[in-house]
Amino acid sequence: MSTPEILPDRAPVPVRTPPPGAHALVVGATGITGGALAERLIASGWRTSGLSRRPPTVDGVEHVAADLFSRGDLEEKLAGLAPTHVFITAWARQDTEAENVRVNGAMVRDLLAVLGPQGSVRHVALVTGLKHYLGPFEAYGQGDLPDTPFLEDAERLPVENFYYAQEDELFAAAAAHGFGWSVHRAHTVVGFAVGNAMNLVPTLGAYGAIVRASGRKFTFPGSLTQWNGVVDITDADQLADHQLWAATTPEVADTAFNVVNGDVIRWRRLWPRLAAHLGVEPAGPEETPLPLEQQMADSEPVWDRLVAEHGLVEPDLSKVASWWHSDSDLGRDVEVLADMTRSRVAGFTGYVSTERALLRLVDRYRTAGVLPPA
């Protein structure tokens, strides 16, 4: 059963008016997080530049084509840009966590080493995630984890983690150049972006389309823990508004925040509703998870047929569905919840209905021709 369209999926979002002379730089402006942020900035009247290799899809964003992982290219392309607010929403996955630390830590260090001496930067926002509490991919959900709901002041885990490296580079640059900062720890970001490496909604949408075309059931691929427990999610628009709130609220400067939708979901309740919206027959999990990477191993020919039949805009299934990432979210055998008290008591009131937002997001991907129609 689809959610009635008359119901809103989020609380009213205030306009985050730019301070005098504000110039925002979105680092990673074509990603799921950066794209939503660029849209919100433009809608709120900010002068906005987007740093990315490909041009941003948001009208009004001034494109800065630069290689984040080349100090020389950053020095050349950012010379004289003089942004006042910098939003770092990009990272690059490497084969090992040691490489993640080296590459992604250097990205933040080099970026701020170029921008800091310009003297214009007032605030830098860094987007990370709940691997801050769960550990990196190589040790994900293992060892002695903090209690849920996760609190921002939890001690760091005794393992390498590129989120820690990025934070440390941010803190050092802020101390050296005198700007304020905020850290935004999101959980399973969902939003609209094509080609994003970690996006639950088009992944499940593609899964539903493929099993429907194959005459199979829409089987929950994850663990019994995730099926029966409660979990939270972060809507990309909620994350965008949270970054703007922190960047325009001096009282909360130099603070790390969790940011999720504000509600919780239980997959055993949401899965049948999502299945109905996708036009497929739902099935619960097996005793042993059936990962999407396993279920979808030979699905490219079916996707090719759907692309030809419906004129879909992205023929490369790997740019629509990220089986591995959704498997990591849905297959966890630990409870994952983030506490939002720090934001709430400081005045952030954003709230999103995860179920309604997910179903409407499916429809947006359909309208854009990324997913086939119902």
Side-chain angles (χ1 to χ4, degrees):
M1 177 176 67
S2 299
T3 300
E5 284 299 315
I6 193 172
L7 294 176
D9 56 23
R10 66 197 67 233
V13 179
V15 174
R16 307 294 182 185
T17 303
H23 175 192
L25 174 64
V26 180
V27 179
T30 56
I32 184 172
T33 299
L37 176 60
E39 286 185 353
R40 183 60 53 83
L41 285 161
I42 292 295
S44 298
W46 288 64
R47 179 190 172 193
T48 305
S49 295
L51 193 159
S52 56
R53 293 185 179 181
R54 295 180 288 111
T57 58
V58 179
D59 291 340
V61 175
E62 304 166 23
H63 185 212
V64 180
D67 183 354
L68 271 173
F69 306 101
S70 167
R71 172 71 174 267
D73 198 49
L74 289 172
E75 289 175 343
E76 176 186 348
K77 303 295 176 55
L78 296 175
L81 188 70
T84 58
H85 296 72
V86 180
F87 301 89
I88 304 174
T89 70
W91 72 287
R93 189 185 182 197
Q94 307 299 308
D95 290 337
T96 66
E97 191 60 20
E99 280 296 288
N100 276 331
V101 168
R102 183 185 67 82
V103 171
N104 292 285
M107 180 265 286
V108 175
R109 180 171 63 252
D110 289 348
L111 176 73
L112 298 181
V114 171
L115 292 174
Q118 294 183 13
S120 62
V121 177
R122 306 174 197 168
H123 186 95
V124 176
L126 171 67
V127 175
T128 64
L130 296 198
K131 285 191 291 296
H132 185 96
Y133 312 108
L134 289 164
F137 291 115
E138 293 175 4
Y140 189 68
Q142 300 174 22
D144 189 12
L145 303 177
D147 284 339
T148 56
F150 297 136
L151 301 174
E152 292 93 341
D153 58 2
E155 291 187 8
R156 290 180 174 182
L157 301 175
V159 293
E160 283 193 302
N161 191 320
F162 81 88
Y163 285 162
Y164 304 162
Q166 288 187 313
E167 284 191 350
D168 289 343
E169 296 294 351
L170 172 64
F171 302 157
H177 301 294
F179 55 74
W181 57 267
S182 57
V183 174
H184 306 262
R185 298 171 186 160
H187 182 203
T188 310
V189 180
V190 297
F192 186 82
V194 180
N196 185 266
M198 300 186 295
N199 203 337
L200 182 69
V201 172
T203 297
L204 295 181
Y207 173 45
I210 289 167
V211 299
R212 184 174 63 180
S214 307
R216 296 155 55 190
K217 289 185 178 180
F218 187 61
T219 302
F220 185 77
S223 68
L224 290 169
T225 299
Q226 293 305 306
W227 177 255
N228 290 314
V230 292
V231 68
D232 48 28
I233 283 176
T234 305
D235 182 88
D237 289 335
Q238 172 90 329
L239 178 54
D241 186 49
H242 194 269
Q243 291 175 80
L244 285 181
W245 166 74
T248 55
T249 307
E251 304 82 53
V252 302
D254 305 340
T255 308
F257 295 99
N258 295 328
V259 51
V260 288
N261 287 348
D263 68 351
V264 293
I265 60 169
R266 202 182 295 274
W267 279 112
R268 72 184 187 200
R269 183 170 64 190
L270 178 54
W271 197 253
R273 300 182 186 187
L274 178 60
H277 203 69
L278 294 171
V280 291
E281 183 180 353
E286 303 288 342
E287 285 292 330
T288 301
L290 296 172
L292 291 171
E293 277 198 308
Q294 174 185 323
Q295 291 192 53
M296 298 286 100
D298 301 314
S299 59
E300 283 82 1
V302 180
W303 184 254
D304 291 342
R305 191 166 71 248
L306 290 169
V307 169
E309 183 178 336
H310 299 286
L312 302 182
V313 299
E314 182 48 75
D316 186 347
L317 181 57
S318 68
K319 294 182 178 179
V320 177
S322 47
W323 310 128
W324 69 272
H325 186 259
S326 295
D327 282 337
S328 69
D329 276 343
L330 300 177
R332 292 178 302 214
D333 206 25
V334 294
E335 180 182 77
V336 180
L337 290 169
D339 184 84
M340 280 278 284
T341 301
R342 180 174 285 183
S343 293
R344 299 303 185 205
V345 299
F348 181 76
T349 59
Y351 189 95
V352 178
S353 164
T354 297
E355 177 183 329
R356 296 173 200 164
L358 289 181
L359 298 184
R360 288 198 173 117
L361 198 50
V362 168
D363 291 339
R364 185 175 177 184
Y365 278 105
R366 285 170 168 165
T367 300
V370 177
L371 296 176

